[in-house]
């Protein structure tokens, strides 16, 4: 598979453990909203440590963008990525991915599982096709919510629903995305459902959707 070395143009801290990276865009490089690529750090000893990350910018931007959750307590790639700065380099590969937009529906994301949906929702907004798509975003605490202000502005109030597992808040729901929560906040189970998050959450949500008579062909998901 072809590899491209791209320089970091800039970084921005989005939450306490999530960073945005703006990168050079190779000439002719293209992808679809929702796709990912294999990424490694262009430093000795790290070039073969490839991990998947989703493009979060728009395909027609003049740069590439990743939003990456950093795990500083782990001895691994994301800790190394957390040390990178402007001028350092990534190695990226060709785009791939099974998550794509297939019609108006409900996006259900857990934590960093939001990343495949960022470019999709941004693209829909740019094209004036956001319509009545809804985002249900599950996190542990309020400080974990990625791009909260952008999603609040992008989506109607009733179409951006946050639920926190480890924090009680007057501003957000508390608990988990379970069958009861879905029945309370989804008014049409004949729409499309887009699901991405930690495997335990995905298994639970997919089971609940099945119990609510959502068909497999209505679901777009990251492979478990």
């Amino acid at each position: 598979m072809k590899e491209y070395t791209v320089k970091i143009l800039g970084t921005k801290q989005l939450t306490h453990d999530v960073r945005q990276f703006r990168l050079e865009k190779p000439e002719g490089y293209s992808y679809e909203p929702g796709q990912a690529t294999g990424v490694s750090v262009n430093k000795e000893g790290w070039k073969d440590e490839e991990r998947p990350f989703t493009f979060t910018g728009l395909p027609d931007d003049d740069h590439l963008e990743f939003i990456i959750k950093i795990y500083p307590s782990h001895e691994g790639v994301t800790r190394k990525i957390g040390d990178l700065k402007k001028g350092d380099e990534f190695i990226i590969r060709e785009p791939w991915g099974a998550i794509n937009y297939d019609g108006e529906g409900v996006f259900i994301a857990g934590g960093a599982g939001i990343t495949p949906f960022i470019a999709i929702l941004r693209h829909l907004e740019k094209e004036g096709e956001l319509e009545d798509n809804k985002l249900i975003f599950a996190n542990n605490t309020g400080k974990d919510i990625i791009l909260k202000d952008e999603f609040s502005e992008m989506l109607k109030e009733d179409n951006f629903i946050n639920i926190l597992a480890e924090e009680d808040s007057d501003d957000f729901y508390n608990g988990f995305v379970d069958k009861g929560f879905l029945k309370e906040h989804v008014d049409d189970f004949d729409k499309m459902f887009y699901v991405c998050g930690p495997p335990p959450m995905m298994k639970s949500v997919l089971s609940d959707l099945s119990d609510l008579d959502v068909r497999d062909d209505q679901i777009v998901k990251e492979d478990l």
Side-chain angles (χ1 to χ4, degrees), residues 16 138-146 163-167 172:
H16 64 104
N139 286 281
N140 287 328
T141 70
K143 69 178 183 178
D144 297 315
I145 303 173
I146 300 168
I163 183 167
L164 308 178
E166 298 178 2
E167 180 180 286
F172 309 117

Side-chain angles (χ1 to χ4, degrees), residues 189-202:
F189 285 93
D190 289 324
K191 290 186 175 183
M192 294 297 299
F193 287 83
Y194 304 85
V195 185
C196 189
M201 173 197 166
M202 286 190 61

